[in-house]
Amino acid sequence: MAKVIICADDYAQSAAIDAAILDLIERGVLTATSCMTLSPAWPQSAAQLSPDIRARADIGLHLDFTQFSQSMRLSHPALVLRSLFGLLDQRAIRDNIRQQLDAFEQALGTPPDYVDGHLHVHQLAGIRDLLLAEMQQRYANLPAPQRPWLRISSPPEHSGFKARVIHWLGASALQTKAQQLGFRVSPRLLGVYDFQGDAAAYQAHWLHWSRQLKQHASASAHTLPPVLMCHPAMPAEAVDEGDPIARARVIEWQVMQSADFLTWLAKADIQPVKGSH
């Protein structure tokens, strides 16, 4: 049976997203969710992460530099370009990382179970080293299994141009440095697609990802099962016009909340698991 961490991004972005994620955790579909801790909704969203939810799923930090961040906020293209040319403000980056980790710890009373990035920004040059340095400072004294793990945005080969770009922007460098520092990593990321199509198209993506899962078992004690990311949301009275994937979010939730979905996972020999112990 292929083990996979099924991870929903963008917790605390909106009430509709939170409701879908909590529903899918309770159903046993999701085993991780990544939190936007500088969102105005974070205090209320954090309060919904009950001990039962935390027992069922890893709760991680979704490092953000483009949406709710305060000390430094850029569009994603501008952030990538400044990263590539070494033009990022290191003090602002460090402050932003600390603010988000502080907000997580203050709300939940623990370190995050893992760290990843909104739009995969945690892998960018100029960000990844400062992130690892901050994590090392905060969590190096914890027993290795209790340290946050890192989601590496490295899709399998033949996943398309978008997937190759995501990997190229720093996956290998982050994985190498994280493992050198003793942090566990999830070495493969599935779930990359263009957010187009209907429910049948999304189901077809899952069939493709299930085949890829069988090819990517963990290689060592420092690696975890692959992560399959998703972005579900329940239907809302008003569509968020500022969210370019609002329609895709609802389709994802409709597919994954179906009674047939867990049955299909079992028949496909896919076991959703947590990354933390």
Side-chain angles (χ1 to χ4, degrees), residues 110 112 173 177 248 265:
T110 67
K177 183 68 176 290
L265 285 178

Side-chain angles (χ1 to χ4, degrees), residues 7-277:
C7 175
D9 289 359
D10 304 335
Y11 187 79
Q13 179 171 313
S14 74
I17 291 172
D18 291 358
I21 290 172
L22 295 171
D23 172 70
L24 292 171
I25 290 174
E26 291 171 351
R27 291 174 185 270
V29 176
L30 293 179
T31 54
T33 188
S34 307
C35 304
M36 307 187 81
T37 64
L38 296 184
S39 164
W42 170 239
Q44 181 177 354
S45 298
Q48 298 182 78
L49 296 172
S50 65
D52 179 63
I53 291 294
R54 298 211 66 181
R56 291 169 177 260
D58 285 344
I59 309 300
L61 174 68
H62 202 43
L63 190 67
D64 170 34
F65 282 87
T66 63
Q67 190 156 348
F68 299 115
S69 51
Q70 299 166 0
S71 61
M72 178 180 181
R73 186 186 305 175
L74 296 168
S75 70
H76 189 246
L79 187 71
V80 171
L81 285 174
R82 292 192 187 187
S83 166
L84 292 174
F85 288 101
L87 299 176
L88 291 174
D89 183 330
Q90 299 291 282
R91 177 172 298 197
I93 291 170
R94 187 179 296 108
D95 289 346
N96 196 32
I97 292 169
R98 288 174 177 171
Q99 287 167 4
Q100 294 181 61
L101 285 168
D102 286 346
F104 189 103
E105 294 172 8
Q106 289 164 9
L108 297 180
T110 67
D113 293 317
Y114 67 96
V115 175
D116 61 21
H118 186 54
L119 302 172
H120 315 284
V121 298
H122 63 309
Q123 300 193 155
L124 294 177
I127 293 177
R128 59 179 178 256
D129 285 345
L130 291 175
L131 171 62
L132 289 171
E134 186 65 25
M135 291 178 64
Q136 181 78 349
Q137 180 178 335
R138 290 177 183 242
Y139 310 127
N141 291 331
L142 293 176
Q146 296 179 23
R147 296 174 197 161
W149 53 272
L150 285 121
R151 190 175 92 181
I152 306 299
S153 300
S154 181
E157 293 182 7
H158 313 299
S159 296
F161 177 74
K162 178 180 178 181
R164 290 198 300 273
V165 171
I166 290 172
H167 172 86
W168 176 72
L169 287 173
S172 295
L174 178 61
Q175 178 170 345
T176 298
K177 183 68 176 290
Q179 289 181 305
Q180 288 173 347
L181 293 173
F183 290 102
R184 294 181 304 147
V185 299
S186 61
R188 284 283 178 262
L189 179 71
L190 297 94
V192 178
Y193 73 110
D194 60 5
F195 298 109
Q196 302 299 311
D198 57 10
Y202 188 60
Q203 289 170 332
H205 287 306
W206 266 94
L207 182 60
H208 174 67
W209 297 327
S210 72
R211 292 169 181 154
Q212 290 182 316
L213 278 174
K214 306 299 174 64
Q215 304 169 12
H216 296 285
S218 295
S220 75
H222 292 287
T223 60
L224 298 160
V227 170
L228 198 155
M229 68 173 176
C230 56
H231 304 79
M234 285 189 179
E237 292 183 7
V239 176
D240 184 354
E241 299 296 341
D243 185 351
I245 64 169
R247 178 177 174 274
R249 291 185 190 276
V250 174
I251 290 171
E252 291 189 19
W253 176 73
Q254 289 171 337
V255 169
M256 288 190 289
Q257 62 83 39
S258 164
D260 295 333
F261 188 74
L262 278 174
T263 301
W264 175 81
L265 285 178
K267 288 182 177 179
D269 289 329
I270 295 172
Q271 180 185 3
V273 296
K274 293 172 62 176
S276 64
H277 293 284

